[in-house]
C-alpha cells in the first residue's frame, strides 16, 4: 500500500511536469496517459513488494535472506520501478513526438526521437534519485546498527529517517542537474521531415522533470 502511494505521487508529478506539447486529440491522450499510469503504478507497487511477500510466504528467515530482501533489493527495485513509471506515463511523448526548436525558439516540428531522448534522460535521473536515496541510508544504518550507536529501535528509526532526508536533500539537486532542462539534439539524429525544414546543426526541446 505504501509503495502504491509512493508511485502514485511520483507518477502524478511526472505527468504534471512532462513535456507540454499540445496534441489535436489532447483529451483522449490524457485518458490514455492516466490509464497507462494506473497500470504502471500497480505493477511497480507489486514488484516492489514481491521479494518481501516471497520471503514471508516461504518463511525464508536466514540472515542472508533478510539482508538481501530487506537491505539490498529495495533500493535498486525502487530506482528501476521509478524509471519504469516515468517511461510508461510519458510514453505518448516518444510515440507522438515533442516539439523541437531552433536557437531562436521557433518550433520546427515534432520529433519522436527527441521525445524518446527526453523520456530516457528523465527516467535515468529519477532512478538515480530514488535508488541512491534508499540505498545509502540502508548501508549507513547497517553500520550504525553494528556499531551500536543507536541503543533503541526508536533511536535507530530516527537515525534512518535523518540519514534518508539528508541523502534526499543532497541527491535532489544532483538528479535535477544530471541533464539540462532545455535538452539538445543533433540535427542528424532527427527525422527526415525535420532535416528538410531547417539548416540548424543543433535543435532544442523541453525535457520535463
Amino acid at each position: 500500500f505504501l509503495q502504491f502511494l509512493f508511485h502514485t505521487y511520483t507518477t502524478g508529478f511526472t505527468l504534471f511536469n512532462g513535456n507540454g506539447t499540445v496534441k489535436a486529440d489532447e483529451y483522449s491522450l490524457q485518458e490514455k496517459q492516466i490509464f497507462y499510469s494506473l497500470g504502471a503504478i500497480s505493477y511497480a507497487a507489486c514488484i516492489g513488494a514481491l521479494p518481501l511477500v516471497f520471503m514471508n510466504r516461504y518463511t525464508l528467515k536466514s540472515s542472508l535472506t533478510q539482508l538481501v530482501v530487506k537491505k539490498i533489493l529495495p533500493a535498486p527495485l525502487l530506482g528501476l520501478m521509478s524509471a519504469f513509471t516515468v517511461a510508461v506515463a510519458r510514453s505518448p511523448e516518444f510515440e507522438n513526438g515533442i516539439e523541437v526548436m531552433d536557437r531562436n525558439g521557433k518550433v520546427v516540428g515534432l520529433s519522436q526521437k527527441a521525445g524518446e531522448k527526453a523520456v530516457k534522460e528523465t527516467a535515468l535521473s529519477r532512478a538515480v534519485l530514488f535508488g541512491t536515496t534508499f540505498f545509502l541510508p540502508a548501508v549507513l544504518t547497517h553500520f550504525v546498527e553494528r556499531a551500536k550507536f543507536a541503543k533503541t529501535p526508536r533511536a535507530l528509526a530516527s537515525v534512518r529517517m535523518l540519514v534518508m532526508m539528508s541523502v534526499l536533500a543532497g541527491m535532489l539537486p544532483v538528479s535535477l542537474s544530471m541533464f539540462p532542462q532545455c535538452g539538445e539534439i543533433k540535427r542528424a539524429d532527427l527525422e527526415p521531415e525535420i532535416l528538410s525544414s531547417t539548416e540548424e546543426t543543433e535543435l532544442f526541446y523541453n525535457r520535463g522533470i
Side-chain angles (χ1 to χ4, degrees), residues 29-172:
L29 179 63
Q30 289 176 350
E31 283 187 327
K32 181 179 179 181
Q33 282 186 293
I34 292 173
F35 178 75
Y36 280 3
S37 297
L38 287 174
I41 291 166
S42 301
Y43 179 79
C46 290
I47 292 296
L50 189 61
L52 190 60
V53 172
F54 185 82
M55 184 185 72
N56 291 334
R57 173 67 178 80
Y58 294 99
T59 61
L60 304 174
K61 301 296 184 180
S62 69
S63 58
L64 179 60
T65 303
Q66 295 274 345
L67 175 65
V68 171
V69 172
K70 291 187 175 181
K71 303 290 186 181
I72 298 177
L73 271 182
L77 269 182
L78 189 65
L80 183 62
M81 289 299 102
S82 297
F84 170 76
T85 55
V86 169
V88 173
R90 292 180 55 178
S91 60
E93 293 182 24
F94 55 78
E95 290 176 354
N96 302 316
I98 62 174
E99 292 178 346
V100 289
M101 302 157 285
D102 60 18
R103 293 185 181 276
N104 298 318
K106 178 184 176 182
V107 177
V108 297
L110 294 178
S111 171
Q112 292 176 321
K113 293 183 179 179
E116 182 180 353
K117 188 170 185 285
V119 173
K120 281 183 178 179
E121 290 173 347
T122 306
L124 179 58
S125 67
R126 197 70 59 81
V128 170
L129 171 63
F130 292 120
T132 305
T133 299
F134 282 85
F135 176 72
L136 285 182
V139 173
L140 295 175
T141 304
H142 175 70
F143 286 113
V144 169
E145 288 178 347
R146 292 192 63 181
K148 298 182 179 180
F149 288 138
K151 303 296 184 182
T152 64
R154 180 176 294 181
L156 184 61
S158 300
V159 170
R160 183 183 293 111
M161 184 61 64
L162 178 62
V163 172
M164 187 174 294
M165 291 176 63
S166 301
V167 173
L168 179 60
M171 284 303 301
L172 188 58

